[in-house]
Amino acid sequence: MTIQEAARRSGLSAHTLRYYERIGLIHSVGRDGSGHRDYVETDIRWLAFLTKLRSTGMPIADMCRYAELRRMGEHTFAERQALLERHRERVRARIAELTEDLQVLDHKIATYGGRA
Amino acid sequence: MTIQEAARRSGLSAHTLRYYERIGLIHSVGRDGSGHRDYVETDIRWLAFLTKLRSTGMPIADMCRYAELRRMGEHTFAERQALLERHRERVRARIAELTEDLQVLDHKIATYGGRA
DNA sequence: CTCTCCCTTGGAGTGCGCTCTAAGTCAAAT
DNA sequence: ATTTGACTTAGAGCGCACTCCAAGGGAGAG
């Protein structure tokens, strides 16, 4: 699969795909005869997972750490899981924070006409 | 109230308070005899509101627009309210997105030991 | 008077996450 | 044979939201 197809399927730009590879987020993408990147299905699944992590606000640095652990093999499962659990807590906290702030916003909108 | 006190009470740094003033987010803070900023209670309340907007992910540019409308007086109430309503929709959407992603994360963590 | 300390300003620098450019390669189409 | 267009790399640039710096200005303590 070409970089353009991978871009379309992952929702990332070709620029970003190259960038992710450069920083080690996605490792050893195959090349075809002309040296062009040739993505496979597992790359797309990995990109989908990375995209989930990003969209939940995980910093690139943490994603790199996760990718590194993944490359190191199965004995890093526990650490990877711990990393995801810490992240899950952050996401939960963020949802809680946003939910609270939403109520403040609701109140502000409802009482408009009072002071700004 | 000095800039340090305002910083402490708003949770923003003195640097950020000056920056916010420079870009027009907080207008005409009073000065004392030596030209030092002298914040009052209404400034603190306004900063608290700004902080809410920021923490819910409103871009600085939109906050500036809101601040500008506020300076223009009461006839901008409707537009301000509309701006807040649009923002509220974005916050709701973000909460929904995070909540969905959280489930994916939960699943990933629960089934760990399967494929990474 | 000098030292210390916090304040002022304009402007430069930082970190993050991309995003784009330049220079060059290769393959298919005309 | 040439043109077109998508690809490659290393590296530069950008937008956002700060964050810090340099140079200078009082005010109070010793």
Side-chain angles (χ1 to χ4, degrees), chain A residues 71-86:
Chain A
R71 281 198 299 281
M72 289 167 66
E74 302 206 349
H75 70 283
T76 65
F77 271 174
E79 192 172 344
R80 277 186 258 168
Q81 185 156 20
L83 197 154
L84 289 187
E85 281 170 4
R86 281 195 301 278

Side-chain angles (χ1 to χ4, degrees), chain B residues 1-21 26 29-32 35-40 44 47:
Chain B
M1 172 182 348
T2 69
I3 194 167
Q4 288 309 327
E5 281 164 23
R8 191 184 51 74
R9 290 197 46 196
S10 66
L12 298 165
S13 72
H15 283 309
T16 300
L17 289 178
R18 293 194 198 97
Y19 165 67
Y20 276 10
E21 188 174 337
I26 170 165
V29 176
R31 306 295 153 124
D32 67 12
H36 292 190
R37 287 172 181 78
D38 184 13
Y39 292 84
V40 295
I44 299 300
L47 283 170

Side-chain angles (χ1 to χ4, degrees), chain B residues 56-68:
Chain B
T56 49
M58 183 182 283
I60 293 276
D62 290 10
M63 289 165 61
C64 286
R65 173 69 183 147
Y66 188 94
E68 188 192 2

Side-chain angles (χ1 to χ4, degrees), chain A residues 8-65:
Chain A
R8 191 183 52 73
R9 290 196 49 195
S10 67
L12 299 165
S13 72
H15 284 308
T16 301
L17 289 178
R18 292 193 198 98
Y19 165 68
Y20 275 11
E21 188 175 337
R22 193 159 61 201
I23 64 177
L25 265 186
I26 169 166
H27 191 55
S28 64
V29 175
R31 305 294 153 125
D32 67 12
S34 327
H36 291 191
R37 286 171 181 79
D38 184 13
Y39 292 85
V40 295
E41 282 303 319
T42 54
D43 294 328
I44 299 300
R45 281 203 297 278
W46 173 237
L47 283 170
F49 181 60
L50 287 180
T51 300
K52 257 323 150 210
L53 295 183
R54 268 307 291 143
S55 77
T56 48
M58 183 182 283
I60 292 277
D62 290 10
M63 290 164 58
C64 287
R65 174 68 183 147

